[in-house]
Amino acid sequence: MKIELIDFDLKGDERGSLIAIEANKNIPFDIKRVYYIFATKLNVVRGKHAHKKLKQVAVTVHGSCKILLDDGQEQKEITLNSPNLGLVIREMIWREMYDFSEDCVLLVLASEGYDENDYIRVHEEFMELVEK
Ligand code: T46
């Protein structure tokens, strides 16, 4: 599985840093929704699902966490610990997020609005679909 990481261009000067995110420029889709995950409790595993259509980019704008990606054949663990780095999570990829630092703010840019019908929440179902 190819891991797609976006290295955001850092606009830094003597005042500090700025990163600009733009749909179809440094993000490979139209951004229809933005959400962020924070104040995650110790030892919590979030995610544990795949999406049928949704594409996303995840950025730890503060702190760190780990993300496991599973395409049905291979699993890879990515540590996100920089606001400079965006992880692309495409459709039909099982994801789990864990080892959140106390101060982690995980920003997620999504290609579609929220749709519960787009979620695959059972791993066996996900495996059946990817094997088809
Ligand atoms: C994903 C990973 C990376 C909404 O009402 N609107 C939203 O846009 C989202 C994302 C969630 N919700 C509600 C649904 C649940 O009642 O917020 C609650 C927590 O959502 P969930 O349990 O799905 O959160 P995670 O962290 O397990 O998964 C989320 C995204 O849902 C998912 O698409 O890929 O982050």
Side-chain angles (χ1 to χ4, degrees):
M1 180 186 3
K2 188 172 155 260
I3 298 301
E4 291 174 76
L5 286 166
I6 303 169
D7 201 358
F8 295 120
D9 196 12
L10 185 65
K11 312 281 182 189
D13 59 28
E14 65 287 350
R15 298 168 300 170
S17 305
L18 184 152
I19 285 172
I21 288 178
E22 268 193 71
N24 298 310
K25 288 202 174 162
N26 52 4
I27 300 297
F29 49 74
D30 268 334
I31 300 166
K32 297 223 178 105
R33 177 168 52 111
V34 174
Y35 59 91
Y36 39 100
I37 294 169
F38 59 100
T40 307
K41 303 278 186 284
L42 203 65
N43 299 324
V44 158
V45 181
R46 302 194 64 120
K48 292 185 166 181
H49 58 252
H51 282 282
K52 295 175 195 159
K53 279 204 203 147
L54 188 72
K55 298 176 184 56
Q56 302 189 103
V57 171
V59 186
T60 46
V61 290
H62 200 255
S64 65
C65 72
K66 289 182 182 155
I67 304 190
L68 179 101
L69 298 183
D70 172 0
D71 66 0
Q73 293 194 313
E74 214 185 334
Q75 297 193 337
K76 283 202 177 154
E77 184 188 75
I78 298 97
T79 300
L80 282 183
N81 56 10
S82 161
N84 299 13
L85 222 52
L87 174 66
V88 181
I89 310 175
R90 296 203 176 263
E91 65 274 35
M92 293 307 287
I93 298 287
W94 187 268
R95 82 285 321 266
E96 298 183 8
M97 302 94 76
Y98 46 92
D99 280 0
F100 287 85
S101 63
E102 230 179 288
D103 59 352
C104 182
V105 181
L106 180 65
L107 175 77
V108 184
L109 313 163
S111 65
E112 306 294 335
Y114 180 68
D115 177 9
E116 183 54 41
N117 294 322
D118 191 62
Y119 284 74
I120 306 164
R121 294 198 180 273
V122 179
H123 196 262
E124 290 72 27
E125 248 175 63
F126 165 71
M127 289 304 293
E128 276 172 28
L129 287 169
V130 287
E131 278 162 13
K132 263 187 200 167

